[in-house]
Amino acid sequence: MISRIFDNLLGRGSAAVTVPPMDGALKPNNQLENLQPGIPAAQVDDIVEWKGEPLWSDGATLVSRSGVQAELPSVITALAALDDTLVVATLDDGLILLGGDYQRAEIAWATPITNVTAISVDQSGVILFCTGSQTNAPNEWRRDLMETNQSGMIGRANPKTGEVRILAKNLRYPSGIATTASGSIVYSEAWASHIVEMSADGSNAQIIFDEIPGYPGRLCRQENGTFWLSVFAPRNPLIEFVLREPAYRKAMLQEVAPEFWIAPHFYSGRYFNEPMQGGALKQMGILKPWAPTRSYGLVIELSSTFIPLRSFHSRTGGSRHGITSALQSGNTLWMACRGNGEILEMQLVEKGKAL
Amino acid sequence: MTVPVVEMLDVTKEFHGNPAIRNVSFDLRPGEIHSLLGENGAGKSTLTKMIAGVHEPTKGQVQYLGKPVSFSSPQEALENGIAMVFQETNLVPSLTVAQNLELGNEKLLNRLRGLYISAQQFLQSLSFEVDPTALVSQLGAAQKQMVEIARAVRHNARVIIFDEPTATLTPEEKHHFFNLVERLKNDGVSIIFISHALEEALNISDRITILRDGMHVITDDASNFDRDTIIQHMVGRNLTDELYGKDKVKRQTRPLGKRVLSVQNLSMGSMVRNTSFSVFEGQVTGVFGLIGSGRTETFKIVAGVNKRNLFHGGEVRLDGKPVRYRVPRQAILDGIVYVTEDRKIEGFFETKSIAENIYSGLIGADLNQKSVVSYSEMAALAKTWTDRLNVKAIDNKSKVIELSGGNQQKVVLAKALVQKPKLIILDEPTRGVDVGAIAEIHELIHELATSGLPVVVISSYLPEILSLSDRILVSRQGRIVEEFSIDDATEERIMYAAVH
């Protein structure tokens, strides 16, 4: 208690409004910005390889390169492939299974699975899922952050038996999950800006990648054991400051339209009345190089030991912000860019370079 | 033919029977800038000290204005027009700048106001921005050096000997200094210039003399030398490639390891301003910046030597955990070791032996095996490290002050390495170190990084930064402003980032 008072007074510890630096393998570049225009997908969210080609969610529809494949009654919040079955999480129906012809398979889960932000399938065919928050749906993620909730969960759902088991709870918005070659589970905790590894039974949880300069989202493991991590929004000192001011946040949530909250976003700079516009960002119509941003585009490749190897960026002045998912298929990296509403395609060459 | 101002004929100087200078002949012409170069321990300072009356030659003769002389003290040499600006300043810390300038020329009654006015005018005429009323103890190293130079000029010397005068000066101050030297030369003053900065010597000198192991190697016009030939004469072999690896392709960048240190929005007064960066294990992180760019101060905060701002001073995270040290010892116990740029003041106990200095590092980190000083442990430790780092001394009981700059630095490094660091910060690791020892220190730094240790090297010398680093951070006006991978880095790009 006393240390918190001192921290608040001196701006230290929990009251420090500091943000980890983007350097080393996270050194900013413009590789996302330099890509060719992608496939339009206004509400794109997750992307998965199914039947040998990328398939993505765009609002309530499932889309591939050849066009819309299916339309579901509710907005899709996560995708995963389980052999010939597509595992889909939606806002209204929770976790559902679709067959090869996109027909919904009947499954009765022992307990309802809602607010799913990410799904993965382990080697035994069991579904691993992240519930971002017990109180806010995935499309309300900004509210969840501003309420500083800690009600996320990681669970296992067996599609053969309908059994559901919670492996970890009271998490700070888990939003990405994958398994490692050794069978352990890794998940990203967005509001804590770190990645955690735990045993398949949920024990021995430990942080393996900390101090991410943004909010980490979905994780995608490659055949060679490396991972792609999508960072869907950046941290910045102003937002960190707002996050430690409960009275201000409460008033902001009640009185200000969500679009104009001082909070991270998939995109920014579209409206003149956004926070941090005008002189804070631009001078004489030119974006300041040091301008803080509420949105950013960032995809990180992590080694099998979770050391960053390289990263692709779209910086403050760019538009390819809000990367919510990434998938490598052969030498192509597919990325869901929610901020600009498009599916991006990047040809990967040797490490550190992209066409 | 003009008569040399100073001429040394077959001079030898021995200390306890060991020759420091052997049969050296040297001459200094009127109005000439003559650079004296050589490795540490080559005998440059000893040679010039014989001119300035600090030492008397054991054999041979010193002539001044064509007559044999034997000055019994620097004061006598000064009275005869020979001034020496020493590497370590000889100012009286408790006196003001003006009083120091006047020291030795005092009248029976001195009026302070008049003293300050004349000192002010004099310093301004040299373009030195130093307050004449300031106490010398309150001045920085560069300003002390300026006062020392001003003092030599003040005494209307006909010969001025500068021993490493530019080591502590900023580029702008160096510019002033070289302008001043040119002016002195035009006024007919003869100058002996001792420096490890070979480019400076090449640019400023009329002639260059090179010494090696106390012996004369060559004297010739500066236009007949280049950097490589100087080094070749200094060490007897071509070290440029070995030292600074002109061919960068030869060296593979070490892969990035785990982030060990994360500095976030760190601030300390006007010296460190909202700076953020990381240091990774298994790599050498080079930090370049001009003097005054806040690079040393930033890392001194990390090491607990300096304190960040009390309010919103930012965060330092070691292995992900926030740390804030009140004293360096806490940092040492956490595995952060800072090797200072000013080894003579902060790096070692000069009157203690090599063994005692190295052992003091062990005690500082609480790693000594016994709770009392163990002389056997001390001796064994000293032997291990002096062998490993190839410290050249009569024995490990020699006082550190008696060693050459390179060997002193090796002792400081040994003292740091016995502390089993998790992060090692080397501030100007080769400043005032001879080229032979530079190669050894560079090799050690590469070894440390290859073994997985995160190493930070702060240096003002671009070829050194380029040859050692896996990634390069550039500091300007109190913050890290640019990061270069070794593939992207060139001297021009780094300097541009440091200046603009």
Side-chain angles (χ1 to χ4, degrees), chain B residues 387-399:
Chain B
D387 286 353
R388 182 175 164 193
L389 301 186
N390 193 22
V391 177
K392 287 171 193 151
I394 296 166
D395 62 26
N396 289 338
K397 289 177 186 163
S398 304
K399 286 179 183 164

Side-chain angles (χ1 to χ4, degrees), chain A residues 8-13 15-27 209-213 237 244 307-308, chain B residues 256-259 262-265 276-278 280 310-315 317 320 324 471 473 482-485 488:
Chain A
N8 279 330
L9 182 68
L10 302 174
R12 295 176 179 175
V17 286
T18 59
V19 174
M22 279 197 196
D23 61 359
L26 303 187
K27 187 186 167 194
F209 180 33
D210 199 4
E211 295 184 63
I212 300 169
R244 69 177 189 88
I307 289 170
Chain B
L256 207 65
K258 209 180 80 188
R259 174 154 51 190
S262 170
V263 171
Q264 301 176 14
N265 306 97
S276 299
F277 61 89
S278 313
F280 303 90
L310 183 64
F311 294 96
H312 295 284
E315 277 200 295
R317 287 172 170 262
R324 177 181 283 265
R471 57 192 278 266
L473 304 176
E482 187 62 277
E483 178 189 0
F484 293 101
S485 69
D488 299 336

Side-chain angles (χ1 to χ4, degrees), chain B residues 256-373:
Chain B
L256 207 65
K258 209 180 80 188
R259 174 154 51 190
V260 175
L261 179 77
S262 170
V263 171
Q264 301 176 14
N265 306 97
L266 193 70
S267 296
M268 184 187 77
S270 60
M271 286 308 292
V272 179
R273 299 195 289 190
N274 199 24
T275 191
S276 299
F277 61 89
S278 313
V279 175
F280 303 90
E281 67 183 12
Q283 280 204 330
V284 176
T285 301
V287 182
F288 178 81
L290 304 178
I291 290 171
S293 64
R295 53 200 188 142
T296 293
E297 289 78 5
T298 302
F299 283 94
K300 279 189 166 178
I301 297 171
V302 172
V305 182
N306 290 347
K307 307 227 173 4
R308 71 193 89 165
N309 287 353
L310 183 64
F311 294 96
H312 295 284
E315 277 200 295
V316 176
R317 287 172 170 262
L318 183 68
D319 285 332
K321 289 180 192 137
V323 292
R324 177 181 283 265
Y325 303 117
R326 290 187 302 277
V327 290
R329 183 176 150 77
Q330 294 171 329
I332 291 168
L333 293 177
D334 271 359
I336 298 177
V337 171
Y338 171 77
V339 177
T340 175
E341 64 177 331
D342 193 349
R343 60 176 170 266
K344 283 181 180 153
I345 304 290
E346 299 168 348
F348 52 72
F349 302 102
E350 60 181 23
T351 55
K352 296 282 180 192
S353 68
I354 296 170
E356 285 168 325
N357 267 286
I358 296 174
Y359 191 62
S360 71
L362 203 70
I363 294 172
D366 281 352
L367 291 171
N368 47 325
Q369 287 165 0
K370 295 176 185 168
S371 53
V372 292
V373 172

Side-chain angles (χ1 to χ4, degrees), chain B residues 192-209:
Chain B
I192 299 176
F193 181 72
I194 301 174
S195 177
H196 282 297
L198 305 185
E199 287 80 2
E200 286 176 6
L202 279 167
N203 289 338
I204 197 173
S205 314
D206 298 309
R207 284 194 303 158
I208 292 174
T209 290

Side-chain angles (χ1 to χ4, degrees), chain A residues 101-123:
Chain A
D101 52 359
Y102 297 101
Q103 289 302 307
R104 186 169 169 174
E106 285 303 317
I107 177 102
W109 300 113
T111 50
I113 301 170
T114 56
N115 297 344
V116 176
T117 52
I119 318 168
S120 180
V121 177
D122 77 5
Q123 290 156 344

